[in-house]
Amino acid sequence: AAVACMSFYLLSGFAADYTPVPLLEIHGVDDDTVPYDGGLVGGFIQVPSAEDNLERWREANACAGEGIVSYPSPRSELRSFDASACARGAEVALLSLSGVGHTPYKGSENAVDLDTTAFAWAFVRRFSKARPVSPSAPPLAPPAPPPAVPP
């Protein structure tokens, strides 16, 4: 099992018996509904920044090191702690989308240059609750482009 979140953060603490779970957060850098840099949502809920949220999950999943930065598309940055660096192989990643607001989906009003739904699915499908996560799971890569439609 794994989690892929779009434009929001963990607002509560972790349970005492928490078991690490792989997590991908996808967030637009220009989000003014749930600010990428943290702040107030709805005038009364204080949220952390996307980077602080990544750090909370990194700590909860006992990921070591500084993480890996890659660029799945020209306007995106992926900061990740891969399976080999985290407890139970439960990697943690933040996909930051430049010039994108609160709806980080290709085809939305934002200028998203990556199919974030396919990207999220590529992440979560690598993990299974039925068996332990392998620390040698392949690293997250951008999804393949859709096949060309014949004219």
Side-chain angles (χ1 to χ4, degrees), residues 21-50:
V21 174
L23 171 98
L24 167 65
E25 182 194 348
I26 299 173
H27 209 117
V29 173
D30 295 339
D31 188 343
D32 58 2
T33 303
V34 179
Y36 184 88
D37 292 324
L40 284 178
V41 172
F44 61 93
I45 299 173
Q46 182 68 38
V47 297
S49 70

Side-chain angles (χ1 to χ4, degrees), residues 45-103:
I45 299 173
Q46 182 68 38
V47 297
S49 70
E51 292 287 334
D52 288 343
N53 186 59
L54 176 70
E55 181 62 18
R56 286 182 71 200
W57 282 98
R58 184 198 67 77
E59 289 173 2
N61 286 6
C63 300
E66 295 298 313
I68 301 161
V69 176
S70 60
Y71 303 91
S73 71
R75 299 182 64 206
S76 68
E77 176 185 284
L78 180 69
R79 182 166 174 230
S80 60
F81 296 89
D82 70 20
S84 65
C86 304
R88 293 180 40 86
E91 70 185 74
V92 176
L94 169 63
L95 179 64
S96 302
L97 304 167
S98 235
V100 174
H102 188 64
T103 51

